[in-house]
Amino acid sequence: MAVSDDHKLQEAIDTLRDSGVRITPQRHAVLEYLLNSMIHPTADDIYKALEGKFPNMSVATVYNNLRVLRQIGLVRELTYGDSSSRFDYKSSEHYHIICEECGKIVDFHYPTLDEVESLAEQVTGFDVSHHRMEIYGKCDECQQVETQKH
Amino acid sequence: MAVSDDHKLQEAIDTLRDSGVRITPQRHAVLEYLLNSMIHPTADDIYKALEGKFPNMSVATVYNNLRVLRQIGLVRELTYGDSSSRFDYKSSEHYHIICEECGKIVDFHYPTLDEVESLAEQVTGFDVSHHRMEIYGKCDECQQVETQKH
DNA sequence: CTCTTATATTATAATTCTTATAATTAAAGT
DNA sequence: ACTTTAATTATAAGAATTATAATATAAGAG
């Protein structure tokens, strides 16, 4: 693990401790996995990835911990129509672009759309907390596969 | 029903017919309900709303029809973490702002974020098809309830 | 270091949303 | 009115997530 990642993990653990949340080995592992994961895993992904290390861990534990991490603000939950939610460590603000063919999720850095939020506040009278935006399309690989077929 | 809504319904039915989709009473009712609904209903909302008119209708019929309407492009599916999907008749392009307290969804008109899409294409190499954006916050009513408590 | 207590985990069952299956019914063109 | 093909119904199955109750354990107090 890179030093910076190690530092991020320590930072996250401090955040947990400050919130009065206990640092259990399972919770630590879920957090660490999310931090190092580039694939925006589902709860089941995490469960499967950790079952070697924690053979007796329950799926409920994964869900419980993801809920705690989300409530603390360390983790973001991404939901889609068909399948299960995906979870994303909130390292820095970014948006996602998602391949409709293979489901791959790629980070896409773009300035935060603050203007949309403030306009929405004015027009609707809501007290805005945040927004989500996702872009959908076909990734490079899937485009090439498509081309080869013809 | 307003004349314009009636016209929209006729237009939608024509679209169905052109796609070779049969106009059954149940399908007609689901479509009409969505067109007149301002609440972005769930499949179950629609099922409950129509069970007076169609006592023998199956939930599967609602889901089947929603899928068909979505595939044709008449209806948009909105998914969230916890609960069930919501469905929205695609009358005109708009975004949604969602109350995190009571779940209310309000339409929010804003110019389409084409720029984000084209930049995403350049940066990621994706062939972009569309995007979604939602704004979250607390609606006016829920803010007032909050104020009264203190 | 040990004790205590509240919290977390486990195993399991229950729930909820959605889809699959097979038999029956009905839309729409001929 | 007939025929064909798609839609509906009733039911069951499936998958994702949450609830429950018993057990285990993190972390602070003494």
Side-chain angles (χ1 to χ4, degrees), chain A residues 17 21-25 43 60 63 84-85:
Chain A
R17 213 187 305 276
V21 173
R22 290 187 184 164
I23 320 291
T24 66
Y63 277 102
S84 40
S85 289

Side-chain angles (χ1 to χ4, degrees), chain A residues 3-52:
Chain A
V3 176
S4 64
D5 284 356
D6 201 20
H7 184 253
K8 274 203 245 174
L9 178 60
Q10 195 49 54
E11 220 171 46
I13 288 171
D14 290 345
T15 307
L16 282 181
R17 213 187 305 276
D18 291 350
S19 311
V21 173
R22 290 187 184 164
I23 320 291
T24 66
Q26 295 89 337
R27 183 165 290 159
H28 189 282
V30 169
L31 183 57
E32 188 176 351
Y33 183 78
L34 272 166
L35 242 161
N36 297 329
S37 171
M38 296 283 105
I39 64 159
H40 307 279
T42 64
D44 198 58
D45 288 337
I46 300 171
Y47 176 64
K48 285 201 168 60
L50 299 181
E51 73 180 353

Side-chain angles (χ1 to χ4, degrees), chain B residues 69-134:
Chain B
L69 295 173
R70 176 166 51 75
Q71 284 166 347
I72 302 271
L74 288 173
V75 162
R76 176 156 61 141
E77 184 175 356
L78 311 163
T79 65
Y80 307 104
D82 35 356
S83 60
S84 39
S85 288
R86 290 171 169 276
F87 296 87
D88 183 24
Y89 185 77
K90 275 196 189 173
S91 46
S92 69
E93 276 309 321
H94 61 263
Y95 297 105
H96 291 119
I97 181 162
I98 299 150
C99 179
E100 291 171 310
E101 297 284 326
C102 67
K104 183 166 58 189
I105 302 176
V106 175
D107 292 347
F108 169 60
H109 289 271
Y110 190 85
T112 311
L113 297 162
D114 296 320
E115 188 194 290
V116 180
E117 287 197 359
S118 55
L119 183 65
E121 286 202 333
Q122 288 172 37
V123 173
T124 64
F126 272 56
D127 179 18
V128 170
S129 67
H130 66 287
H131 69 271
R132 68 179 273 187
M133 180 181 67
E134 280 128 29

Side-chain angles (χ1 to χ4, degrees), chain B residues 14 22 25 29 31 36 41 44 50-51 58 61 66 69-70 73 78 84 100 103 114 127 132 142 144 147 149:
Chain B
D14 290 345
R22 291 184 185 167
L31 184 56
N36 298 328
D44 198 57
L50 300 181
E51 74 180 352
S58 169
T61 299
L66 288 171
L69 295 173
R70 176 166 51 75
L78 311 163
S84 39
E100 291 171 310
D114 296 320
D127 179 18
R132 68 179 273 187
C142 290
Q144 283 169 16
T147 310
K149 278 195 293 193

